Amino acid sequence: MERQRNMLKYTDFDIVFQEIPDEVTLAINISNCPCGCAGCHSPHLADDIGDALTASEVDTLLEKYGAAVTCVCLMGGDADPAAVNALAAHIRMKGKKSAWYSGRAALPDTIDTAHFDFIKLGPYIAERGGLKSPTTNQRLFRIECGQMHDITDRFGPKKEFTE
């Protein structure tokens, strides 16, 4: 069942050092996730909870933490990728790198890679593990000149996954 499109909402945020290599990242956890990954580390994010995540709210967070961070990562937002795209463009206009952690297997058509510096794709599959696992199906891409370059190996040595 497809979820109705709503505004993006976020439940919390943190400054993190491991989500995006070489960046001090303001990671914003977005709720209303439609992915339903078994073993999700944040199952509460499937609920439609939290406060509105608008450009104005991002500005407020950047006023408070902007000098301490080099990147803003939207953790989720798969229910409304067009809104994620718009926020990423806003973040870049504010002089920060933008990143998106998506549980989707493929990039939605509504995403313009010109608005992003990093995109993580792939649902969480417990038996394959997350980005640090050598068997992960998830991939982190650095976006350069509109091209997606796989940098997943920055999290550790990877083995090719075969089905």
Side-chain angles (χ1 to χ4, degrees):
M1 176 164 79
E2 190 170 323
R3 292 186 184 204
Q4 185 177 13
R5 181 180 166 176
N6 296 315
M7 74 173 79
L8 293 179
K9 294 180 184 175
Y10 75 106
T11 60
D12 61 337
F13 58 88
D14 203 356
I15 295 176
V16 297
F17 303 96
Q18 295 183 11
E19 302 295 343
I20 303 295
D22 305 322
E23 303 295 335
V24 178
T25 302
L26 176 63
I28 304 172
N29 290 314
I30 301 173
S31 65
N32 201 24
C33 181
C35 295
C37 300
C40 174
H41 64 79
S42 301
H44 68 285
L45 293 178
D47 297 330
D48 187 8
I49 57 174
D51 298 317
L53 183 59
T54 62
S56 176
E57 186 65 16
V58 169
D59 290 348
T60 298
L61 292 172
L62 288 176
E63 285 170 16
K64 188 171 183 178
Y65 299 103
V69 300
T70 59
C71 182
V72 176
C73 185
L74 304 171
M75 307 291 284
D78 291 288
D80 193 350
V84 169
N85 192 64
L87 277 180
H90 181 78
I91 290 163
R92 301 270 317 273
M93 287 181 6
K94 293 293 181 176
K96 299 296 179 185
K97 293 179 183 174
S98 67
W100 182 34
Y101 261 44
S102 170
R104 292 173 178 261
L107 197 62
D109 292 340
T110 54
I111 294 296
D112 181 351
T113 57
H115 297 149
F116 294 87
D117 296 283
F118 304 92
I119 296 176
K120 192 267 316 170
L121 292 173
Y124 179 72
I125 301 172
E127 55 272 7
R128 294 188 188 173
L131 285 172
K132 292 181 180 181
S133 170
T135 59
T136 189
N137 62 295
Q138 298 178 322
R139 293 289 177 257
L140 180 64
F141 298 92
R142 173 184 280 282
I143 313 299
E144 295 172 338
C145 300
Q147 299 295 313
M148 296 176 66
H149 302 280
D150 189 338
I151 62 166
T152 311
D153 62 351
R154 294 288 309 273
F155 291 94
K158 296 288 175 253
K159 298 176 189 169
E160 261 324 291
F161 179 77
T162 56
E163 295 200 36

